[in-house]
């Protein structure tokens, strides 16, 4: 792997990529493959903060559409992100990568609380820090959690690894003529309501000048390609 241009990144993985080819839950084999990619990236000297979604287990909004109280459903969604964080921690440690999980909802039997200075120390020591439970409040998503931690930890970029290979002008699943952007600016994403991350996450990245790199993490080796400045992706930054 050629040396990455970033020193410290926040890698956000959507929960659904942990499912592998399943319809629900966690596929340990696929989580292990993802962990292998994270390990390879770390071996280049990169400092890595991780945020993992919970959509493979529970999404608050979907449950509230079926009648649940939204805040209550979101608490459950946040707990799902903790389960995913623990699954990724296990997979990374099985590969010999030291990690710490820090949760925005305190759960001292299974992980640490979020403490920025302590997270800094972990990164100094070469550990991967996995931030769980999003921002720790309902009505948010893990995208906002990722943007918040990226700003707080002064990451050089937020890499969003998901099932699609970038940002399109319309939904590529329903429109075969949808066009992928090589790069697009934050304000266009917000004004055109492009499906990248929720608006609060995009605004937080814009206000803190954190580029967002959207790429598919389902293709093997793609994280390494993206870090080397190659591969298919969309970069969201400020306009020219
Ligand atoms: N969630 C929340 N606050 C947060 C982060 C997450 O309430 O700060 C809840 C919310 O219900 C969300 C669920 O956790 O639907 C799972 O997170 P998300 O949908 O962001 O996961 P992803 O789509 O990335 O898999």
């Amino acid at each position: 792997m050629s040396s990455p241009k970033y020193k410290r990144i926040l890698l956000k993985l959507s929960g659904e990529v942990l499912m592998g080819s399943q319809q629900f839950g966690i596929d340990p084999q696929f989580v292990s493959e993802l962990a292998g990619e994270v390990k390879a990236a770390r071996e280049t000297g990169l400092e890595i903060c991780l945020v993992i979604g919970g959509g493979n287990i529970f999404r608050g909004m979907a449950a509230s559409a079926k009648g649940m109280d939204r805040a209550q459903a979101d608490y459950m969604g946040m707990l799902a992100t903790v389960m995913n964080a623990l699954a990724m921690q296990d997979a990374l440690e099985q590969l010999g990568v030291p990690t710490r999980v820090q949760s925005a909802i305190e759960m001292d039997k299974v992980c640490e609380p979020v403490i920025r200075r302590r997270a800094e120390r972990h990164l100094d020591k070469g550990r991967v820090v996995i931030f769980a439970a999003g921002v720790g409040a309902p009505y948010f998503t893990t995208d906002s959690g990722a943007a918040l931690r990226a700003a707080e930890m002064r990451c050089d970029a937020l890499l969003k690894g998901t099932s699609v290979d970038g940002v399109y002008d319309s939904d590529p699943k329903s429109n075969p003529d949808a066009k992928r952007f090589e790069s697009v600016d934050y304000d266009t994403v917000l004004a055109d309501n492009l499906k990248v991350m929720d608006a609060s996450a995009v605004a937080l990245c814009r206000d803190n000048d954190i580029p967002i790199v959207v790429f598919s993490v389902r293709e093997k080796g793609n994280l390494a390609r993206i870090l080397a400045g190659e591969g298919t992706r969309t970069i969201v930054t400020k306009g020219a």
Side-chain angles (χ1 to χ4, degrees), residues 184-187 206 209-211 236-240:
V184 59
D185 58 273
Y186 304 107
D187 289 330
R206 178 193 60 190
D209 210 357
I210 302 166
V236 185
T237 62
K238 50 177 187 219

Side-chain angles (χ1 to χ4, degrees), residues 47-209:
E47 294 177 345
I48 303 177
C49 303
L50 266 178
V51 166
I52 308 178
N56 55 321
I57 300 174
F58 200 87
R59 265 211 183 89
M61 222 147 59
S64 96
K66 290 184 186 158
M68 256 190 102
D69 175 72
R70 171 71 193 268
Q72 184 81 347
D74 280 342
Y75 298 146
M76 293 174 68
M78 284 188 272
L79 297 181
T81 73
V82 179
M83 291 175 67
N84 284 337
L86 295 178
M88 180 55 82
Q89 175 170 49
D90 178 74
L92 282 166
E93 298 213 325
Q94 289 205 24
L95 298 177
V97 180
T99 64
R100 290 291 185 272
V101 174
Q102 293 200 343
S103 172
I105 296 178
E106 290 190 25
M107 231 177 275
D108 64 4
K109 295 286 186 290
V110 294
C111 59
E112 298 179 355
V114 177
I115 299 175
R116 181 172 66 89
R117 286 170 200 285
R118 194 186 261 191
E120 285 284 353
R121 187 87 183 107
H122 294 323
L123 293 173
D124 283 350
K125 290 187 169 176
R127 297 174 184 141
V128 170
V129 183
I130 308 172
F131 291 104
V135 305
Y139 296 93
F140 284 94
T141 65
T142 46
D143 284 342
S144 294
L148 171 65
R149 301 301 169 215
E152 195 177 8
M153 298 305 295
R154 291 185 295 269
C155 293
D156 302 316
L158 192 169
L159 271 62
K160 176 166 166 147
T162 182
S163 316
V164 282
D165 61 2
V167 182
Y168 284 77
D169 58 359
S170 59
D171 186 354
K173 285 182 191 138
S174 51
N175 177 10
D177 297 326
K179 197 172 101 336
R180 187 179 53 78
F181 295 98
E182 272 302 299
S183 67
V184 59
D185 58 273
Y186 304 107
D187 289 330
T188 304
V189 167
L190 291 171
D192 296 354
N193 199 17
L194 298 176
K195 301 278 172 267
V196 183
M197 302 202 297
D198 44 74
S200 55
V202 175
L204 197 54
C205 287
R206 178 193 60 190
D207 297 349
N208 292 284
D209 210 357

